[in-house]
Amino acid sequence: MTLKEIAAEAGVSPSTVSRIINSPDDSFARKEVRDRVWSIIQKHGYIPNQNARKLKLGQSGGTQTISGSLAVVLGRGENLDDNPFFAQVARAIEQEALSLSFPVSLSYSIFAAIKSTINANLPDIQTDGAIVLGRLTKPAIDLLARRHKTIVYVGRNILDVPWDQIICDGYEATQVAMKHLVNNGHKRVAYLGETENETRFTAYQNFVAMHGLDTDRSLICSCQHNGESGYTGAGKLLAAAHPIPTAVYCAADVIAIAALRRFREARIKIPQQLSLISIDNIELSGYVSPMLTTVGMPIIELGNIAVKTLIDRINKRHTIPMKIYLPNTLIRRESVATPHGYVEDYII
Amino acid sequence: MTLKEIAAEAGVSPSTVSRIINSPDDSFARKEVRDRVWSIIQKHGYIPNQNARKLKLGQSGGTQTISGSLAVVLGRGENLDDNPFFAQVARAIEQEALSLSFPVSLSYSIFAAIKSTINANLPDIQTDGAIVLGRLTKPAIDLLARRHKTIVYVGRNILDVPWDQIICDGYEATQVAMKHLVNNGHKRVAYLGETENETRFTAYQNFVAMHGLDTDRSLICSCQHNGESGYTGAGKLLAAAHPIPTAVYCAADVIAIAALRRFREARIKIPQQLSLISIDNIELSGYVSPMLTTVGMPIIELGNIAVKTLIDRINKRHTIPMKIYLPNTLIRRESVATPHGYVEDYII
DNA sequence: AATGATAAATAAAACGATTGCGTAATGAGC
DNA sequence: GCTCATTACGCAATCGTTTTATTTATCATT
């Protein structure tokens, strides 16, 4: 079924049908004609061809708002299932776009699919704008920016780039977490998480150095941000670190949850013998025992801001690249305590 | 940058450029011309307009394979973040599509966005095929089937429909779980999960009836499939059920994990005083304490089969609607035990 | 009844690609 | 040098919409 066929059956011209469909308030054409057209559309379950539509609309991209689709692309290793955090963000974006009754087709796509060079195979994904999440390199984002006409990047702070950025990479979050640990009297805190090119790790190292905490190499345990890796990582940490740390900083909640399990198996009491803190504040972190102390980002707001910024930019409401910082908040729960024998003397 | 402009700059016709780009093995035109065109494409970072492309290709839909995009749509309430199970499935689909080097733009879209009737606002999402997941009604799926040219539905068994179905709705899974409980000597098992229009609940009820288990209304506690709801649900169950059940069946792992927490607060030992079993086998279920006994579906295979079936159908390798059943497997871990004082006498 | 003014409907030209068909160029064979 | 087969390329129609400019219908006014 095409618009033309509908028109023919209704005995009007294609343009009339098009206008009837697209007039925002139901005001176009005589009511009689309008009703006839709508009923024919209904009868056939006609749906306009979006490709044709976007093709045509793409041209008149003047005052026009977005013509149709918005993508969310995740960095390599940031998988929706490995780490629920990203699923939450994606969801928040989805919600927001919807609430603006914004014509949205949210599409996640993994980076691997499109990192191939242009001439290898010309890529398929193309939208009006994209929200890019995760640990990506500048050239990678550049490539994406070329494909999607405009992007906003959510993640670490990248200097001197022409896109909008929403900074929430965990540097500050790590500081908040570490500070909480130190304020509770910890001086020997281990690291469990990604170490390669990971802001949270850098932040940990800087913090440790700056505050004169213990720096044994054995306190650092590299693992990926998922349950399995966190579990085995926690085991390795236990084996390697002597003396045992009084606290461990996990770069993600999923790691912490799995580590919890591992420590329990080793009969280590959390938080009495070992404190645990992490980052993300995924839902489940509040439903394990002990409940995780973690530092969370305002995910809903993150979603809001990301899509608003994107739409704003597409509509050319702003043209210079913006950098927006989001606050981190400490969620005090049960997994952090004062180390045994600690005397309060050291508050940052 | 359009193809025409590239052509102009290269001093060839648009058709030539098109053919150079699209020839599968790099064999079209003289090498000299070909290289010139490619270098101009590179220079400008030209990317073909996918809308135009699909518009044109949609027509010649003969031997042609898919022209570009595949959607994954989730039922209302099946959110990626509420329940990691769906994120895992989505991921599996993504992986599989990718591994077939299939031109895929995976797009999740929540049902709310498109359930509006056609004439309310004409929808935007349109792909070659969609994989539809979750608890949806037949008319809803019908609507989707109209939008996306072909679909495969993953979920409960729906009778007499023209689409392909992959059945994994948990009826059998529930039976497996309940049977395990009964085999361990439980006769009084509570239900925690969705009750409205939910196959798992029906299965629970049928099983209870068929095996003469306790049927107090107080054993049934309705809650949604997320952590918060599971936590409060577990609390309500504790308050309502007298005497306390010896086991509880949770309709999803996330519920069970949250319930675990709630029971611990009530100083109920799992599994010594109360057994817990659930469905999904999300990653984290293996990393809480006690580790959850759960019944899982073969998620990876589910992804494989879903995309293969879809592609197959798009390419008209099969035309009758297929129904594929996926096996459920019991993952025995730590949350189920024999009730106190039980004497083995009753094995199904 | 004739005239404007306004509203309703249409014709036709895009949008940016693909592709069947046709023609020009190339080279081989005699 | 002429023909024929082959290869390389261009023409132009087309996909299903939207939209500008134009024509046609409607209706109140004088």
Side-chain angles (χ1 to χ4, degrees):
Chain A
M1 264 291 133
T2 73
L3 186 148
K4 210 187 295 182
E5 294 174 282
I6 298 282
E9 188 166 337
V12 297
S13 78
S15 21
T16 302
V17 176
S18 169
R19 299 172 97 133
I20 290 182
I21 292 179
N22 292 25
S23 73
D25 44 351
D26 229 20
S27 65
F28 185 86
R30 294 200 311 279
K31 182 165 188 333
E32 173 213 335
V33 158
R34 201 192 315 148
D35 289 349
R36 177 153 36 100
V37 168
W38 272 123
S39 81
I40 295 180
I41 289 180
Q42 296 267 25
K43 174 172 140 205
H44 294 339
Y46 163 75
I47 292 175
N49 181 313
Q50 293 307 134
N51 293 319
R53 190 151 195 283
K54 289 194 203 160
L55 173 59
K56 194 64 179 81
L57 287 180
Q59 141 211 25
S60 75
T63 57
Q64 201 79 21
T65 316
I66 307 203
S67 70
S69 64
L70 174 163
V72 173
V73 3
L74 301 175
R76 177 176 260 299
E78 257 89 45
N79 294 314
L80 292 175
D81 54 334
D82 278 354
N83 191 341
F85 174 75
F86 288 100
Q88 284 180 256
V89 173
R91 173 84 187 296
I93 291 171
E94 197 165 41
Q95 291 279 340
E96 173 64 12
L98 221 65
S99 80
L100 293 178
S101 77
F102 176 83
V104 62
S105 126
L106 184 61
S107 104
Y108 310 44
S109 94
I110 45 178
F111 182 55
I114 48 171
K115 82 171 172 204
S116 48
T117 65
I118 289 185
N119 94 20
N121 57 350
L122 291 164
D124 185 62
I125 301 145
Q126 202 170 57
T127 60
D128 296 302
I131 295 173
V132 179
L133 308 175
R135 269 178 299 130
L136 291 170
T137 61
K138 190 172 165 183
I141 305 178
D142 252 334
L143 190 62
L144 290 170
R146 196 176 276 176
R147 174 177 335 289
H148 305 278
K149 299 189 189 76
T150 101
I151 67 167
V152 3
Y153 174 64
V154 178
R156 57 201 189 128
N157 184 8
I158 301 185
L159 299 177
D160 190 30
V161 291
W163 343 286
D164 293 319
Q165 292 185 71
I166 297 179
I167 320 277
C168 76
D169 63 344
Y171 195 99
E172 184 189 306
T174 302
Q175 290 180 309
V176 170
M178 292 295 289
K179 195 163 128 188
H180 182 61
L181 254 22
V182 168
N183 281 345
N184 274 271
H186 294 276
K187 300 202 157 125
R188 183 169 179 76
V189 358
Y191 178 90
L192 198 51
E194 291 267 9
T195 52
E196 292 287 314
N197 196 15
E198 165 64 60
T199 321
R200 298 178 189 189
F201 183 53
T202 315
Y204 163 85
Q205 287 183 303
N206 291 352
F207 191 96
V208 163
M210 190 174 305
H211 293 83
L213 308 188
D214 289 6
T215 60
D216 321 9
R217 189 66 192 73
S218 74
L219 287 177
I220 293 166
C221 179
S222 177
C223 75
Q224 293 177 295
H225 294 185
N226 62 51
E228 184 181 356
S229 190
Y231 180 82
T232 59
K236 280 188 215 154
L237 186 63
L238 244 31
H242 295 294
I244 193 171
T246 64
V248 7
Y249 163 84
C250 300
D253 283 348
V254 276
I255 297 179
I257 292 178
L260 218 51
R261 164 80 202 176
R262 186 62 188 77
F263 293 143
R264 178 184 303 272
E265 284 171 11
R267 309 220 171 284
I268 295 174
K269 284 201 195 311
I270 312 286
Q272 295 84 343
Q273 299 173 261
L274 184 64
S275 290
L276 217 54
I277 199 165
S278 58
I279 294 200
D280 278 350
N281 190 29
I282 64 173
E283 199 199 10
L284 247 25
S285 71
Y287 297 104
V288 292
S289 304
M291 297 192 292
L292 249 39
T293 291
T294 183
V295 0
M297 309 195 186
I299 293 183
I300 305 293
E301 288 77 7
L302 171 56
N304 292 357
I305 292 175
V307 349
K308 277 185 188 131
T309 305
L310 182 61
I311 295 180
D312 228 48
R313 150 82 55 162
I314 289 175
N315 291 337
K316 303 204 199 307
R317 306 288 306 261
H318 71 271
T319 51
I320 55 166
M322 310 214 315
K323 258 185 222 268
I324 300 174
Y325 279 82
L326 255 29
N328 294 102
T329 62
L330 177 68
I331 319 286
R332 290 161 202 264
R333 288 200 280 236
E334 306 171 343
S335 65
V336 170
T338 291
H340 189 64
Y342 164 70
V343 181
E344 188 160 331
D345 67 341
Y346 186 85
I347 295 279
I348 298 177
Chain B
M1 263 293 132
T2 74
L3 187 147
K4 210 187 297 181
E5 295 175 280
I6 299 283
E9 189 166 338
V12 297
S13 80
S15 24
T16 302
V17 176
S18 169
R19 295 177 140 118
I20 289 181
I21 292 178
N22 292 25
S23 73
D25 44 351
D26 226 21
S27 66
F28 186 89
R30 294 199 313 278
K31 183 165 188 334
E32 172 211 336
V33 159
R34 199 194 315 149
D35 289 349
R36 177 153 36 102
V37 168
W38 271 123
S39 81
I40 295 180
I41 290 181
Q42 295 267 25
K43 173 172 138 203
H44 295 337
Y46 162 75
I47 292 175
N49 181 313
Q50 293 306 133
N51 293 318
R53 191 153 194 282
K54 289 194 202 160
L55 174 59
K56 192 66 178 72
L57 288 180
Q59 142 213 23
S60 76
T63 55
Q64 202 79 21
T65 318
I66 308 204
S67 70
S69 65
L70 174 164
V72 173
V73 3
L74 301 175
R76 176 176 260 298
E78 257 89 46
N79 295 313
L80 292 175
D81 53 336
D82 278 354
N83 191 341
F85 174 75
F86 289 99
Q88 283 178 256
V89 173
R91 172 85 187 295
I93 291 172
E94 195 166 41
Q95 291 279 338
E96 173 65 12
L98 221 64
S99 80
L100 292 178
S101 79
F102 175 84
V104 62
S105 127
L106 184 60
S107 105
Y108 311 44
S109 95
I110 46 178
F111 183 55
I114 48 170
K115 80 170 175 205
S116 46
T117 65
I118 290 185
N119 93 21
N121 57 351
L122 292 163
D124 185 62
I125 301 144
Q126 204 171 57
T127 60
D128 296 301
I131 295 174
V132 179
L133 309 175
R135 268 179 299 129
L136 291 171
T137 61
K138 190 171 164 183
I141 304 178
D142 252 333
L143 189 62
L144 290 170
R146 197 176 275 175
R147 175 177 334 288
H148 305 277
K149 300 190 187 76
T150 102
I151 66 167
V152 4
Y153 174 64
V154 179
R156 57 200 190 130
N157 185 6
I158 300 185
L159 299 176
D160 190 30
V161 291
W163 343 286
D164 294 318
Q165 293 183 70
I166 297 179
I167 320 276
C168 75
D169 65 342
Y171 195 99
E172 183 190 304
T174 302
Q175 290 180 310
V176 170
M178 293 297 288
K179 194 164 129 188
H180 182 60
L181 255 20
V182 168
N183 281 346
N184 274 270
H186 294 276
K187 301 202 156 124
R188 183 168 179 76
V189 357
Y191 177 89
L192 198 52
E194 291 267 10
T195 52
E196 293 287 314
N197 195 17
E198 164 65 60
T199 321
R200 297 177 190 191
F201 183 54
T202 315
Y204 163 84
Q205 287 183 302
N206 291 354
F207 191 96
V208 163
M210 188 173 306
H211 293 83
L213 307 189
D214 290 6
T215 61
D216 323 7
R217 189 66 191 73
S218 74
L219 287 177
I220 292 165
C221 179
S222 176
C223 76
Q224 293 177 295
H225 294 187
N226 61 52
E228 183 181 357
S229 189
Y231 179 82
T232 60
K236 280 189 214 152
L237 185 65
L238 243 32
H242 294 293
I244 193 172
T246 64
V248 8
Y249 163 84
C250 300
D253 283 348
V254 276
I255 298 179
I257 292 178
L260 217 51
R261 164 80 202 178
R262 185 65 188 76
F263 293 142
R264 177 184 303 270
E265 283 171 10
R267 310 220 171 284
I268 295 173
K269 284 202 197 310
I270 313 285
Q272 295 85 343
Q273 298 174 261
L274 184 65
S275 288
L276 217 54
I277 199 166
S278 58
I279 293 198
D280 280 349
N281 191 28
I282 64 173
E283 200 199 11
L284 247 25
S285 72
Y287 296 104
V288 292
S289 305
M291 298 192 290
L292 251 38
T293 291
T294 184
V295 2
M297 308 196 187
I299 292 184
I300 304 293
E301 287 77 6
L302 172 55
N304 291 357
I305 293 176
V307 348
K308 275 184 189 132
T309 306
L310 182 61
I311 294 179
D312 228 48
R313 151 81 55 162
I314 289 174
N315 291 338
K316 303 205 197 310
R317 306 288 305 262
H318 71 271
T319 52
I320 56 166
M322 311 214 315
K323 258 186 222 266
I324 300 174
Y325 279 82
L326 255 28
N328 294 101
T329 63
L330 178 67
I331 319 286
R332 290 162 202 263
R333 288 200 279 236
E334 307 171 343
S335 65
V336 170
T338 292
H340 189 63
Y342 164 70
V343 181
E344 189 159 331
D345 67 341
Y346 185 84
I347 293 279
I348 301 177

